[in-house]
Amino acid sequence: MEHTSDIVAEGKLIGETSYPQRADKNQELEVSAEVFTDKGFVTCTAKIDFFDAIRGVVYETKKSAAKELAHVAQVQFYLYLLRKNNITANYGQIEYPKLRQTERVELSEEGEAKIEKSILQTTEIISLESCPPTLPKSKCSKCSYFDFCWSTEE
Ligand code: SF4
């Protein structure tokens, strides 16, 4: 997915250059968990760019100049997967170098239940015979599936 892999790489580069000391203290981590849903077990995987295992803090840097709920959901998902692996994950921190702001992300038990509901909804969508209708293209620019949904467009 070239479209989003460039965006992801750019975001990681901004994280490394905006916070050069970060790479020394924190580690990149790929984490997976088996989540039980109404449709059986589902494997969820994510790659976390910066995780401080000593303090249990997930860091995520965004190149965007606008805060989005999706950024919070992404970090909450990381916290969820870490906790599923019995790894201490106290909170997350989203950094917006362009805004010169940070946002702390918590994950409550209620938040964990919401994530599990989203995972179930995702498995239901995956098991559909045909794809759901596309959203308006203006909402798709950062989506990982952009190339699939819009491959027939000029
Ligand atoms: S590109 Fe992403 S957001 Fe847009 S319709 Fe496809 S899946 Fe939905």
Side-chain angles (χ1 to χ4, degrees), residues 3 132-150:
H3 171 75
T134 53
L135 295 179
K137 198 173 180 180
S138 60
K139 296 199 180 292
C140 302
S141 64
K142 294 176 191 165
C143 179
S144 299
Y145 298 106
F146 186 92
D147 291 342
F148 292 123
C149 292
W150 300 102

Coordinates of all heavy atoms in Angstrom, one line a residue, residues 3 132-150, ligand 1:
H3 N 0.5 4.1 -1.1 CA -0.2 5.4 -0.7 C 0.1 5.7 0.8 O 0.5 6.8 1.2 CB -1.6 5.3 -1.0 CG -2.5 6.4 -0.5 ND1 -2.4 7.7 -1.0 CD2 -3.3 6.5 0.6 CE1 -3.3 8.5 -0.4 NE2 -3.8 7.8 0.6
P132 N -18.6 -3.0 1.3 CA -19.6 -2.0 1.6 C -19.4 -0.8 0.6 O -18.3 -0.7 0.0 CB -19.3 -1.6 3.0 CG -18.1 -2.3 3.5 CD -17.7 -3.2 2.4
P133 N -20.4 0.1 0.5 CA -20.2 1.2 -0.4 C -19.0 2.1 0.0 O -18.7 2.2 1.2 CB -21.5 2.0 -0.3 CG -22.4 1.2 0.5 CD -21.6 0.1 1.1
T134 N -18.3 2.7 -0.9 CA -17.2 3.6 -0.5 C -17.8 4.9 0.1 O -18.9 5.3 -0.1 CB -16.4 4.0 -1.8 OG1 -17.3 4.5 -2.8 CG2 -15.6 2.9 -2.3
L135 N -16.9 5.5 0.9 CA -17.3 6.8 1.5 C -17.0 7.9 0.4 O -16.3 7.6 -0.6 CB -16.4 7.1 2.7 CG -16.5 6.1 3.9 CD1 -15.6 6.5 5.0 CD2 -18.0 6.2 4.4
P136 N -17.4 9.1 0.7 CA -17.0 10.2 -0.2 C -15.4 10.2 -0.3 O -14.8 10.1 0.7 CB -17.5 11.4 0.4 CG -18.7 11.0 1.3 CD -18.3 9.6 1.7
K137 N -14.9 10.4 -1.5 CA -13.4 10.3 -1.7 C -12.7 11.3 -0.8 O -11.5 11.0 -0.3 CB -13.1 10.6 -3.1 CG -11.7 10.1 -3.5 CD -11.5 10.2 -5.0 CE -10.1 9.7 -5.4 NZ -10.0 9.9 -6.9
S138 N -13.3 12.4 -0.4 CA -12.6 13.4 0.4 C -12.3 12.8 1.8 O -11.4 13.3 2.5 CB -13.5 14.6 0.5 OG -14.7 14.3 1.2
K139 N -13.0 11.8 2.2 CA -12.7 11.2 3.5 C -11.6 10.1 3.5 O -11.3 9.5 4.5 CB -14.0 10.6 4.1 CG -15.1 11.7 4.4 CD -16.1 11.1 5.3 CE -17.2 12.1 5.6 NZ -16.7 13.3 6.4
C140 N -11.1 9.8 2.3 CA -10.3 8.6 2.1 C -8.8 8.8 2.0 O -8.0 7.9 1.9 CB -10.8 7.9 0.8 SG -12.5 7.4 0.9
S141 N -8.4 10.1 2.0 CA -7.0 10.4 1.6 C -6.0 9.7 2.5 O -4.9 9.3 2.0 CB -6.8 11.9 1.6 OG -6.9 12.4 2.9
K142 N -6.3 9.4 3.7 CA -5.3 8.8 4.6 C -5.5 7.3 4.9 O -4.9 6.7 5.7 CB -5.2 9.5 5.9 CG -4.7 10.9 5.8 CD -4.8 11.6 7.1 CE -4.5 13.1 7.0 NZ -5.0 13.8 8.2
C143 N -6.5 6.8 4.2 CA -6.9 5.4 4.5 C -6.0 4.4 3.8 O -5.5 4.6 2.7 CB -8.3 5.1 3.9 SG -8.9 3.4 4.2
S144 N -5.7 3.3 4.5 CA -4.8 2.3 4.0 C -5.3 1.5 2.8 O -4.6 0.9 2.1 CB -4.5 1.2 5.1 OG -3.9 1.8 6.2
Y145 N -6.6 1.6 2.6 CA -7.3 0.9 1.5 C -7.5 1.8 0.3 O -8.3 1.4 -0.6 CB -8.6 0.2 2.0 CG -8.3 -0.8 3.1 CD1 -8.6 -0.5 4.4 CD2 -7.7 -2.0 2.8 CE1 -8.3 -1.4 5.4 CE2 -7.4 -2.9 3.8 CZ -7.7 -2.6 5.1 OH -7.4 -3.5 6.1
F146 N -7.0 3.0 0.3 CA -7.2 3.9 -0.8 C -7.0 3.3 -2.1 O -7.8 3.4 -3.0 CB -6.4 5.2 -0.6 CG -6.6 6.3 -1.6 CD1 -7.5 7.3 -1.2 CD2 -6.0 6.3 -2.8 CE1 -7.8 8.3 -2.1 CE2 -6.3 7.3 -3.7 CZ -7.2 8.3 -3.4
D147 N -5.9 2.6 -2.3 CA -5.5 2.1 -3.6 C -6.5 1.0 -4.1 O -6.7 0.8 -5.2 CB -4.1 1.5 -3.6 CG -3.0 2.6 -3.5 OD1 -3.4 3.7 -3.7 OD2 -1.9 2.2 -3.1
F148 N -7.1 0.3 -3.1 CA -8.0 -0.7 -3.5 C -9.4 -0.1 -3.9 O -9.9 -0.5 -4.9 CB -8.3 -1.7 -2.3 CG -7.2 -2.6 -1.9 CD1 -6.6 -2.5 -0.7 CD2 -6.6 -3.4 -2.9 CE1 -5.6 -3.3 -0.3 CE2 -5.5 -4.2 -2.5 CZ -5.0 -4.2 -1.3
C149 N -9.8 0.8 -3.1 CA -11.2 1.4 -3.3 C -11.2 2.3 -4.6 O -12.2 2.4 -5.2 CB -11.6 2.2 -2.1 SG -12.0 1.1 -0.7
W150 N -10.1 2.9 -4.9 CA -10.1 4.0 -5.9 C -9.1 3.6 -7.1 O -8.8 4.4 -7.9 CB -9.7 5.3 -5.3 CG -10.6 5.7 -4.3 CD1 -10.5 5.7 -2.9 CD2 -12.0 6.2 -4.5 NE1 -11.6 6.1 -2.3 CE2 -12.5 6.5 -3.2 CE3 -12.8 6.5 -5.6 CZ2 -13.8 6.9 -3.0 CZ3 -14.1 7.0 -5.4 CH2 -14.6 7.2 -4.1
Ligands
SF4_1 S1 -10.6 4.3 0.9 FE1 -10.9 3.6 3.1 S2 -12.3 5.2 3.9 FE2 -12.4 5.3 1.7 S3 -14.1 4.0 1.1 FE3 -12.2 2.8 1.0 S4 -12.0 1.7 3.0 FE4 -13.5 3.4 3.2

